[in-house]
């Protein structure tokens, strides 16, 4: 990944779990962004992906990993809505410093990842972001795109 931390909104895709599980689950990561690994003690870590990034994760291994979108601090909190092929849901709020937990396995089990699932966010400072989740049926992986 390449990118300038100074010019990037601090919203991130977050992965949390044991270091071994995180390493096994991440198939590929790239884009115009950066990554931060935060040790949590023991064998656990938190990984934050900043910027316009693309992650490919082994969907089957996400039973052991928490996946979320962290609102960051710089955006002043945000309003978000989840969009599917059927439309966009009701907006909800997320304060600065908090995370929106995602459930990719649950979404896949009910068919929500058969088409792209999008999380649209509008930050209080006026910035719009989008995180897209897609299941790649051929490989059994989850692909996440973060556009900040």
């Amino acid at each position: 990944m390449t990118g300038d931390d100074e010019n990037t909104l601090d919203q991130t895709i977050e992965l949390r779990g044991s270091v071994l599980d995180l390493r096994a689950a991440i198939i590929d990561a790239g884009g115009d962004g950066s990554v931060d690994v935060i040790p949590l003690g023991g064998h656990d870590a938190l990984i934050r992906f900043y910027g316009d990034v693309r992650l490919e994760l082994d969907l089957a291994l996400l039973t052991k990993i928490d996946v979320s979108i962290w609102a960051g601090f710089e955006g002043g909190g945000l309003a978000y809505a989840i969009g599917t092929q059927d439309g966009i849901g009701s907006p909800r709020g997320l304060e600065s410093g908090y995370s929106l937990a995602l459930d990719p396995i649950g979404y896949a089990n009910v068919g929500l990842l058969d088409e792209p699932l999008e999380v649209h966010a509008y930050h209080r400072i006026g910035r719009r972001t989008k995180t897209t989740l897609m299941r790649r049926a051929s490989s059994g992986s989850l692909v996440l795109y973060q556009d900040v």
Side-chain angles (χ1 to χ4, degrees), residues 11-16 46 57 62 65-72 78 80-82 92-95 97-107 112-113 117-120 131 133 142 144:
Q11 172 187 315
T12 68
I13 295 174
E14 274 187 341
L15 305 177
R16 181 184 183 140
L46 176 70
L57 306 171
L62 296 184
I65 295 173
D66 295 325
V67 180
S68 59
I69 299 171
W70 183 57
L78 56 87
Y80 71 91
I82 301 198
R92 301 196 181 264
L94 187 63
E95 294 299 320
Y98 287 90
S99 296
L100 167 62
L102 301 174
D103 182 11
I105 293 175
Y107 303 155
L112 287 176
L113 296 183
L117 182 136
E118 299 174 336
V119 180
H120 298 270
T131 304
L133 293 82
L142 171 72
L144 292 107

